[in-house]
Amino acid sequence: MKQRIITLLLLVTAITSFSQSKTIDQKVEALLKQMTIEEKIGQLNQYSGDSNATGPITINPNKQTEIKSGLLGSMLNVLGVTYTRQYQEFAMQSRLKIPLLFGLDVIHGYKTTFPIPLAEAASWDLNAIESSARISATETAANGIHWTFAPMVDICRDPRWGRVMEGAGEDTYLGSKIAYARVKGLQGERLGDINSVMACVKHFAAYGAAIGGREYNSVDISDRALWETYLPPFKAALDAGAATFMNSFNDINGIPSTGNKYLQRDILKGKWNFKGFVVSDWGSMGEMVTHGYAKDKKEAAFSAITAGSDMDMESNSYRDHLAQLVKENKVPINLVDDAVKRVLRKKFELGLFDDPFKFCNPEKEQKELNNPEHAKIAREVAEKSIVLLKNNNAVLPLSKEIKTIAFIGPMVKLKRANHGFWAIDLKEVDSTYIVSQWEGLHNKVSQNTKLLYAKGCGIIDESKAGFQEAIDVANQADMVILSIGERFDMSGEAKSRSNIHLPGVQEDLVKAIQATGKPIVVLINAGRPLVFNWTADNVPAILYTWWLGSEAGNAIADVLFGDYNPSAKLPMSFPRDEGQIPIYYNHFNTGRPAQNQSNTNYVSAYIDLDNGPKFPFGYGLSYTTFQYSDLRLSKKKMKNTETIEVTLKVTNSGEVKGEEVVQLYLRDKASSLIRPIIELKDFQKIKLNSKETKSIQFTIDNQKLSFYNQKLEYKSELGEFDLMIGSSSADIRLKDNFELVK
Ligand code: BGC
């Protein structure tokens, strides 16, 4: 008897350990076998909850019943542990108890908000960027959410497009590094950790090249531009382990991304071997009908599944038509199975089958939403994102002992505006945790400083009725800080602007205050590069403060008073006028390049303005100065199997400590396809005490010299290269050249 019990126990242990040791793929296969076609298609369907909708929401009184019947795989816009638990409980009443996935647009923070992604890109600080994503993930996961629709990695050379605020700017190299850091930060050590969320890299692909910068517009680009400029950040995000991708609203060369087999099956799931799943953008499957690509939603469902879109966000094309398409033998069941397996695999990886309520812990939610460490990091990241555009006569940093400061402008006392677009409107929290610019200044100055305030004008309205009060206040002060810019909802999704000048009468307000003769510092808050030529040419000091998030006020005060020495560099070229757009630093030379600003005779130039950008890519000042010297190349000729070590020295020649972004650019002098006149290939952000010198080393390898040739092969070509080391793309401090030889 005893013997039989032991044998039985051993058998049970063996079976249990077999089931535990089953791989995720085996578990997925086993589950798939039990699923009906309706349940399978349910896994590919996603509905929105009631908040934050960016498109038409499915009005469906039967949502609960559908979840209980196993007919829904995922929801977006359901926030907080209470609500996610409630919906998950419905899913646990379904036959197979497949947990729901909850997704949300956590673009630059959950409760703690960080600078908008474009601002954060200006930090060129990959550790800071990763740490802000880490905190966003921690807060998001603590709120019952498994998945964020970030990072947005669309390269964009057109500041009219409102969604520039969501990306990392115009440069592919910088954008790729940032994409990698963001995915690492969001997903942490591994999926399934309690503080990790799945990243969703978007929008695949080339959405940032929308014609004319007009939202949702078509994209018409060459394969070469696609591969060289727009795809690399996606690949970098994938290399970082991104769990999911989102396709894009736009058509690309006539085929909507959602129905684009080349992008999704051939490149992403084929060449790049992506094992995660692709979610459509909001309603983008159904919109293929509006595009004129599919005659109805059934045909749209056919195109989408054939092209490799796995999950349908809110268009109900799969829900309503996919089963029928399978029955009619138009869609092979293995396409559906593949999509379902991709979704299920992620649910297993997240650990949701072991504990569907794993992310629904109210104590953890409270703890993470009130973690003071998060605000501290948000403040540091915000400081690092502020770009010092101008500082004539060393107006900045200010003394904390100034007797009277007038803080003027429509942004001064706003709170939520500092979040910028894509902030999560948490119902349970108010705006008290956001530090306004006014509060930040108050926290900073000594008791001997008197702060005066006047609004001056609104952001967009044309009234100048408040000017006189602002002038009076300025006249009573020793100096003026003016905070102006865009309203928080003027950049973001569906916020394209044809005119990107400072809105309303704000630049007139700057003129009126400048006329008082008081020293002025202007803060420009915006989600994109704006045009503000008069201000740029006339006021002595300008800080581009973007939208900095919940710690905006403190971070701005830190920079104004020199507690943080600004170190940010522009991730996009700032135009002088909309007519110059698209404007980007890494353009081709043309056969007739303009040699200087003034000679426009029969050269590639506009005759009615200076042709360079107002502020170039990579530009940003510091309260100190940096000297570059001693550039050395380990050799002047290299084979494609070799490397060149580049060394140089940078000295902080000023009086205060500071950080510099040392930028390495290359130019391939002659090749089978023209290369840009200058191209970022590496950078390092270094810290230097006053008078300190550091040696810096870069490595040139074949990868850095390669490009997509006419056959779309990524290869280098023999010949000469210019090497340039700069403090910006337009401020090259050291130069040399080398040759790639056989
Ligand atoms: C946007 C996506 C976003 C989705 C869900 C769409 O309108 O294009 O970026 O993730 O809405 O909110």
Side-chain angles (χ1 to χ4, degrees), residues 46 48 51-55 76-77 103-107 148-150 152 154 163 166 200 202-203 207 215-216 246-249 279-283 287 313 422 493:
Q46 186 187 54
S48 177
S51 48
N52 305 306
T54 54
L76 73 153
N77 298 334
L104 185 70
D105 290 286
V106 182
I107 307 297
T148 170
F149 304 126
M152 191 276 226
D154 297 314
R163 298 194 85 165
E166 265 179 81
C200 183
K202 67 190 191 185
H203 305 84
Y207 187 23
E215 183 64 299
Y216 312 130
M246 182 185 290
N247 57 35
S248 56
F249 285 124
V279 63
S280 80
D281 204 345
W282 189 299
E287 287 175 19
M313 182 191 288
W422 283 122
E493 182 172 351

Side-chain angles (χ1 to χ4, degrees), residues 61-256:
N62 298 326
K63 273 184 195 165
Q64 262 190 46
T65 323
E66 282 185 33
I67 299 172
K68 289 180 186 168
S69 313
L71 300 180
L72 191 72
S74 174
M75 296 193 77
L76 73 153
N77 298 334
V78 177
L79 274 68
V81 300
T82 311
Y83 295 112
T84 50
R85 175 177 282 276
Q86 195 182 331
Y87 280 106
Q88 201 65 294
E89 272 165 359
F90 298 147
M92 287 307 107
Q93 294 171 42
S94 66
R95 191 176 77 88
L96 295 171
K97 301 190 180 1
I98 302 178
L100 288 169
L101 265 184
F102 296 104
L104 185 70
D105 290 286
V106 182
I107 307 297
H108 55 113
Y110 190 82
K111 180 186 168 191
T112 309
T113 52
F114 294 88
I116 55 164
L118 183 64
E120 220 183 50
S123 75
W124 295 53
D125 189 325
L126 301 174
N127 292 329
I129 290 171
E130 184 172 334
S131 68
S132 90
R134 194 80 286 282
I135 291 170
S136 301
T138 305
E139 292 188 5
T140 305
N143 278 260
I145 293 153
H146 315 129
W147 180 24
T148 170
F149 304 126
M152 191 276 226
V153 304
D154 297 314
I155 295 299
C156 180
R157 295 163 163 184
D158 192 331
R160 290 171 298 182
W161 193 45
R163 298 194 85 165
V164 284
M165 55 82 47
E166 265 179 81
E170 76 185 32
D171 183 63
T172 303
Y173 182 81
L174 179 62
S176 300
K177 292 281 176 199
I178 291 176
Y180 189 94
R182 288 195 166 130
V183 171
K184 284 284 177 205
L186 291 169
Q187 297 195 166
E189 291 277 297
R190 58 168 209 113
L191 287 187
D193 284 351
I194 197 69
N195 291 331
S196 292
V197 292
M198 294 199 294
C200 183
V201 191
K202 67 190 191 185
H203 305 84
F204 201 59
Y207 187 23
I211 295 171
R214 206 186 71 215
E215 183 64 299
Y216 312 130
N217 204 4
S218 300
V219 168
D220 196 348
I221 54 172
S222 66
D223 271 350
R224 169 194 157 121
L226 177 68
W227 280 91
E228 187 166 306
T229 305
Y230 295 95
L231 290 183
F234 288 97
K235 180 61 169 53
L238 184 55
D239 292 342
T244 72
F245 269 55
M246 182 185 290
N247 57 35
S248 56
F249 285 124
N250 57 286
D251 72 273
I252 170 161
N253 302 335
I255 303 179

Side-chain angles (χ1 to χ4, degrees), residues 591-662:
R592 294 186 178 194
Q595 298 304 334
N596 55 51
Q597 298 289 354
S598 48
N599 183 1
T600 56
N601 210 17
Y602 294 102
V603 293
S604 179
Y606 297 104
I607 59 169
D608 54 357
L609 48 64
D610 281 353
N611 280 278
K614 189 74 186 166
F615 297 103
F617 173 81
Y619 169 84
L621 302 173
S622 162
Y623 296 153
T624 187
T625 45
F626 299 98
Q627 303 293 327
Y628 288 57
S629 65
D630 297 292
L631 177 63
R632 290 208 171 80
L633 273 58
S634 62
K635 47 172 108 70
K636 295 280 275 182
K637 290 182 196 280
M638 74 175 255
K639 296 183 184 156
N640 64 13
T641 50
E642 297 175 342
T643 58
I644 296 181
E645 302 308 320
V646 177
T647 53
L648 67 135
K649 287 188 179 148
V650 180
T651 303
N652 178 346
S653 45
E655 300 308 317
V656 289
K657 69 176 182 207
E659 290 162 80
E660 171 71 326
V661 181
V662 181

Side-chain angles (χ1 to χ4, degrees), residues 36 40 80 88 115 197 306 384 398 401 416 461 533 539 552 564 618 646 655 680 690:
T36 63
K40 288 179 182 176
Q88 201 65 294
V197 292
T306 311
K384 287 168 190 266
L398 305 175
E401 302 299 328
R416 194 208 172 283
D461 37 285
N533 294 324
V539 304
Y564 182 78
V646 177
E655 300 308 317
L680 184 73
S690 167

Side-chain angles (χ1 to χ4, degrees), residues 5-16:
I5 292 176
I6 292 173
T7 319
L8 197 68
L9 276 176
L10 284 175
L11 196 67
V12 171
T13 322
I15 292 172
T16 327

Side-chain angles (χ1 to χ4, degrees), residues 390-409 412 438 441 444-445 449-454 470-483 513-514 516-523 539-543 556-557 559-562 623:
K390 195 173 172 191
N391 194 18
N392 283 8
N393 310 323
V395 170
L396 289 170
L398 305 175
S399 152
K400 287 176 196 156
E401 302 299 328
I402 297 176
K403 286 224 172 61
T404 311
I405 298 176
F407 202 1
I408 296 174
V412 173
W438 178 252
L441 208 65
K444 182 65 68 181
V445 293
T449 301
K450 198 167 155 198
L451 291 184
L452 305 175
Y453 165 72
I471 292 166
D472 293 345
V473 162
N475 279 326
Q476 293 166 43
D478 300 304
M479 59 116 9
V480 181
I481 305 170
L482 251 174
S483 185
I513 301 298
Q514 172 86 347
T516 64
K518 301 285 174 176
I520 305 187
V521 178
V522 169
L523 312 176
V539 304
I542 303 171
L543 289 168
I556 289 172
V559 168
L560 283 171
F561 291 90
Y623 296 153

